[in-house]
Amino acid sequence: MKKYVIAMDQGTTSSRCILFDRQGNICSVAQKEFPQLYPQPGWVEHDPMEIWSTQMGVTMEAMQKVDARAGEIAAIGITNQRETTVVWDGATGEPVYNAIVWQCRRTADRIDRLRQDGWWEAIRRRTGLIPDAYFSASKIAWLLDHVPGARARAERGELKFGTVDSWLIWNLTEGRVHATDRTNASRTMLYDIHKLCWDREILDYFRIPASMLPQVYPSSHIYGATGRFGGSIPIAAAAGDQQAALFGQCGFEPGDVKSTYGTGGFLLMNTGGQAVRSTKGLLTTIAASAGQPVSYALEGSVFVAGAAIQWLRDELRMLRSAPQSEGFCTAVEDTRGVYVVPAFAGMGAPYWEPYARGTIVGLTRGVTKEHLVRAVVESLAYQTNDLLLAMKEESGLPIASLKVDGGASANSFLMQFQSDLSDIRIDRPRCIETTALGAAYLAGLAVGYWQDLEEIRANWGRERAFTPSIPADIRERLVRGWNRAVRCALAWAREED
Ligand code: ADP
C-alpha cells in the first residue's frame, strides 16, 4: 500500500523534503540550510556535494519521522532552484567546479558581448528569455573556459551539464540517468521552447558540446528509480520551483495565475498551448503539465517584495518582525498620499530601468511611521499589479482570480489591498507549500497515485478569499499616484550625470 509521495524541494538556501498523503496533507517535513559561497563580489556558488548530501539527509530524516519505508512511497518528485549550473565528470560523478548559482553575475560581460554579436533577438525568440547572466548558458561557457582542461574533456564527451534537478536525478540513479524536464531546460537559454529541442546554433555560439546536455522529458514522467532509501522508488517528476508552484496551486488552465510574495515576487500565468511573446519584458517559459501537450506560461518578477519589509525591520528598525507590519497598516486609514517605490536594485518588468533607485514621494509633516510602513507594504501590491496588467494585456486572457503564496501572503491587509487595487478575487490556499506540493502532484500523476487533475483539484482548499471592496474612482486615483511615483524613480535614474 503506497501511503506517501515525496517532494524533494532543493532551494537556493536550503534543501527540504516533504511527505504528502493522497489528500495533499503534509505528513512530514525536514529541512537543512547549506552554505552560500561568495568567492568574489557578485559571485555566488554552492558546493554540489552539499546540495546532494543535504537533500539525501533531509529525505531520510523526513521518512524516519513517520517511519516510512521505501515500499510505502509511491514516487519522488523533484523541484529545484532554477538555472543554477553543475558540470561533472560522467565517469566519476565528480563536479569539475562548484555549482554557479542563478544569482551569480560573473558572466554579465558575456551577455553584453552577445548583444554586440547580434544574438539578442534570436535568443529572445527561440528561448523565450531576455538574455541574462541568470540563465545557465553563459555559466556553462564560463566553466569550460576557466576550469583547466574542462573544454578538452567536454569535447571528448566526458563531462555532463545539469541544472539541480539533473544533478539530483544523476545521483539518485547512481549515474544511470542524465535527464531534465522541459521547465528546467527552458531556463538554460539553450532550449528552443517552440521546437522543444536544444538549439544547435545557440550551443555552437556558446561553444557548448551537445554531448554534455541531458535528455529532456515532460515534468511528469518516470525518469528512473532510486535504490538509495532501502528499496526501489520511482523518480516520477522534475520541475523548476516557480512552475511547480503554479501546478501546486492547480494553475492548469489558460488564464490561471499565481503570485508568490517571498523575498522577491514571482507571477506566473498559464497561457495553455500558446507561447505568448512579450513586448513588455515578461519571459515566455514552459509550464509544468501532466499530459504530453506542452503548456506555456508568462513570467514576471518583482525584484524587491518581502525584502522591502526586511529593510523596514533591519535597516530602518521600524519593525521587530515582518508580521508586525500588518498592525501598522491597519492602524491608519491610508498612507496620507505617500508612495514608496522600493527600486533598490533597479526596476524590472514592465519598466526595465536598471539605474532606477528607491524613492519616497508625497511626504508631509503629518506622516507617521504607520503611514510609511503601509506605503511599503502597498508597494508589493502595486508592483504585482503592474505585472498583472502586462500579463492580461499581452495574453488577452481574462484572469478570474489570483492564487497567492509565499511568506508575505500571510499579511491579510496586503491581500485585501491587492484585491482592491487589481479588482480581482484573491484565493489564499490552506497549503502554502505549493512548490513542494506541485512536485508531489506531478510525480503522483505519473505513477497513478492520483488518477487525474480532478482528483487533485478536489484537494485544493481555500484558507481565505479576498474580494474587491473599493469603487473604481478610488482605485484609479491610487494607481495614478503610483504611476506618478514610478515616474519619479525613473527620472532619478535618467538624470544621472
Ligand atoms: P523566500 O522563500 O524568498 O525566502 P518566504 O516565502 O519565506 O521567502 O517569505 C519571506 C518574506 O516575506 C520576507 O521577506 C519577509 O519580510 C516577508 N514576510 C513574512 N511575513 C510577512 C508578513 N506577515 N507581512 C509582510 N511581509 C512578510
Side-chain angles (χ1 to χ4, degrees), residues 250 252-253 256 441 452-461:
C250 298
F252 310 140
E253 301 294 330
D256 285 348
Y441 282 156
D452 52 28
L453 297 179
E454 282 321 303
E455 204 181 333
I456 283 172
R457 267 205 195 93
N459 277 350
W460 194 86

Side-chain angles (χ1 to χ4, degrees), residues 14 34 102 129 131 144 167 264 271 297 418 444:
S14 72
F34 56 84
W102 57 274
L129 304 172
L144 295 181
W167 171 241
T271 60
Q418 184 78 71

